[in-house]
Amino acid sequence: MADFLQVATATETRDSAVKLAQSVVAARLAAGAQIVGPVASVFWHQGEFGAGEEWQLLLKTRADRYAALEAHLLEHHPWKNPEVSAVPMTGSEGYLRWIDETTSPDGAG
């Protein structure tokens, strides 16, 4: 079975998070997306300290689909330099099978 990742990004509004999630899942680059928010964010950006609210997207995918998912997120994201991070994921056999089948490049899921 393939290795799996949970990929995270964030947007400024709920609507942009939903739109981005829909485009990723429709393209079968992620099996599913969870949108959490608003979440408080504290950060350094362009040399300045800041704080704000964001909507976090958590995307489930196969490791071998990460490069295409990252490219899609960077192309369609409303920010110029968004967070796109990934962590390895484990889970129940049935859940991982669903991710594997759903994100198959041939669309078999």
Side-chain angles (χ1 to χ4, degrees):
M1 193 170 288
D3 292 330
F4 301 92
L5 300 173
Q6 179 171 277
V7 178
T9 191
T11 64
E12 188 173 9
T13 67
R14 182 184 184 281
D15 288 344
S16 63
V18 169
K19 182 177 177 181
L20 192 56
Q22 289 173 333
S23 72
V24 167
V25 174
R28 292 191 176 271
L29 297 172
Q34 294 171 312
I35 299 169
V36 182
V39 296
S41 182
V42 179
F43 51 85
W44 281 98
H45 183 67
Q46 297 180 341
E48 295 186 18
F49 184 77
E53 287 187 344
E54 299 175 339
W55 292 82
Q56 187 177 42
L57 284 80
L58 301 174
L59 309 160
K60 283 58 171 190
T61 194
R62 294 161 37 133
D64 64 353
R65 299 290 278 159
Y66 177 78
L69 173 58
E70 178 185 316
H72 183 97
L73 289 171
L74 294 174
E75 180 181 343
H76 295 91
H77 202 288
W79 294 343
K80 289 181 183 178
N81 186 28
E83 168 197 3
V84 179
S85 60
V87 294
M89 187 177 79
T90 60
S92 67
E93 183 178 335
Y95 182 69
L96 297 179
R97 186 178 318 109
W98 169 73
I99 295 171
D100 189 39
E101 292 171 356
T102 303
T103 58
S104 174
D106 65 9

